[in-house]
Amino acid sequence: MSAAVYETLPARVVFGAGSVARLAEETNHVGLRRILVLSTPTQHDLARRATAILGDRAVGVYERARMHVPLATVIDAVEVATELGADGCVAAGGGSTIGLAKALSLRAGLPYVALPTTYAGSEMTPVWGITEDSRKRTGRDRSVLPRAVIYDPELTATVPAAVAATSGLNAIAHAVEALYAPDSSPPVAAMAERGIRDLAEALPVLRTGASDGAARATALEGAWLCGACLGATTMGLHHKLCHVLGGMLDLPHAETHAVMLPHVAAFNLPAAPHAAAAVARALDAPVAVAALHKLVTELGAPTSLAELGVSRAQLRAIAEETLTAPYANPRPADLRDLTDLLEAAWSGTPA
């Protein structure tokens, strides 16, 4: 790499088993006094635990976070936060909850502290997304970064093995795109390669359902690194396709990333040999794309869009929507390219 620009993002990270106990201390450190705890319905217990730790600082719990951050949910959450006089939030959960916290930061100026429970790494990026009328709008804004992230491996102990696998593959997709992003840099490349390696090491252990604290910690470290390197770079074709699929069809976010990962890699990595070499090293394999496909398969993640309920008749519309506002990519893609790529992903043909 002959030239690069690398700008660090503001971040405060607390890492370690049992670090959730520092939640009140961390919210105090960033100046939050009236806190709305955000979660999905399935994270009810964690939301209540966070409320107990916060004590009088907690003014309420909003448990209606949803995948892809529907605009209606954002409006509802803003109204609740306003009625309660909240001056900030705690996002207790995975990507859906953290996505809602980002939207509240963007639209209502509410800062937040993140308590991640999956391995997607979204909390480390300034990327936001809001879905309206079956279209997911995304953008980058530093205001949506959390004021602090508390990574506690113990909080991931109850995450289902399938969720651990797909959220981790989502994070690996962040790192792969960061490796061939036009604004990548040596620090980003180092974080991406290490993040992929950490997740590839830990996810097969977690897939067995083993209660392995060391593997959970390694996976969280990988998620942190993969999210951070995406946060510092431009998204490409992989993320554009996943945003279109999620917005148009309301597909499960992490599972969509898992399906698309080896197929977009097969399209892009030949045009980015340095990225292909880094992925191959991280996966300790001779060929990056084959190793990614093998990892997805061995983790038991979905391998086709058909498994997620996509019909073949929808593929052309997805390709056309992807081309309306394309992201930066190492290889140009036209309608035929995208249709062929989506056909392979729909059928599950090995990349």
Side-chain angles (χ1 to χ4, degrees):
M1 181 175 294
S2 57
V5 174
Y6 175 65
E7 186 174 358
T8 58
L9 295 173
R12 177 178 173 85
V13 175
V14 177
F15 193 101
S19 56
V20 67
R22 293 182 54 175
L23 179 59
E25 177 185 344
E26 291 303 312
T27 55
N28 182 60
H29 179 81
V30 299
L32 303 184
R33 299 291 183 268
R34 295 183 58 81
I35 301 164
L36 177 63
V37 178
L38 308 175
S39 77
T40 60
T42 58
Q43 289 288 359
H44 171 88
D45 290 344
L46 177 58
R48 296 300 170 183
R49 183 179 177 187
T51 300
I53 294 170
L54 292 169
D56 293 343
R57 292 177 185 271
V59 296
V61 176
Y62 186 88
E63 296 180 346
R64 299 193 289 277
R66 285 191 56 202
M67 183 175 61
H68 301 306
V69 197
L71 178 59
T73 302
V74 177
I75 293 171
D76 184 48
V78 169
E79 290 177 353
V80 171
T82 302
E83 290 172 1
L84 294 173
D87 65 4
C89 303
V90 163
S96 297
T97 304
I98 290 165
L100 177 59
K102 289 181 175 184
L104 293 182
S105 291
L106 186 71
R107 296 178 67 94
L110 292 175
Y112 70 100
V113 171
L115 282 178
T117 59
T118 64
Y119 305 116
S122 171
E123 62 282 347
M124 296 306 297
T125 81
V127 179
W128 58 268
I130 299 175
T131 300
E132 181 182 13
D133 297 330
S134 298
R135 176 171 288 180
K136 189 169 186 177
R137 296 184 298 109
T138 63
R140 299 176 73 92
D141 193 312
R142 286 191 174 208
S143 71
V144 308
L145 286 167
R147 298 296 177 86
V149 179
I150 298 176
Y151 283 120
D152 187 340
E154 293 178 355
L155 297 184
T156 67
T158 58
V159 173
V163 174
T166 55
S167 66
L169 290 166
N170 184 358
I172 288 175
H174 297 339
V176 173
E177 290 236 298
L179 283 166
Y180 56 63
D183 49 0
S184 191
S185 63
V188 165
M191 288 191 292
E193 189 169 333
R194 171 64 185 273
I196 294 170
R197 182 180 297 113
D198 282 349
L199 284 160
E201 173 189 322
L203 292 178
V205 178
L206 298 176
R207 177 58 184 166
T208 67
S211 180
D212 191 315
R216 292 197 302 273
T218 299
L220 271 182
E221 290 172 6
W224 173 6
L225 292 169
C226 290
C229 64
L230 178 69
T233 57
T234 303
M235 293 182 293
L237 178 62
H238 175 95
H239 281 80
K240 180 62 179 184
L241 281 166
C242 290
H243 291 159
V244 171
L245 286 160
M248 288 182 66
L249 306 179
D250 198 32
L251 297 188
H253 184 72
E255 288 87 340
T256 303
H257 277 276
V259 169
M260 298 306 301
L261 174 58
H263 296 282
V264 181
F267 182 80
N268 275 337
L269 290 182
H274 62 286
V279 174
R281 286 194 303 269
L283 297 176
D284 192 23
V287 181
V289 173
L292 287 170
H293 179 79
K294 180 181 178 182
L295 180 63
V296 172
T297 303
E298 289 182 346
L299 290 176
T303 57
S304 73
L305 291 176
E307 290 179 67
L308 303 184
V310 179
S311 74
R312 195 170 192 174
Q314 294 172 310
L315 300 183
R316 184 179 177 88
I318 295 164
E320 291 173 342
E321 177 65 19
T322 302
L323 290 172
T324 59
Y327 292 179
N329 202 59
R331 178 180 172 188
D334 58 22
L335 184 61
R336 176 62 181 272
D337 292 328
L338 293 182
T339 302
D340 288 347
L341 191 161
L342 287 164
E343 284 275 358
W346 180 80
S347 66
T349 303

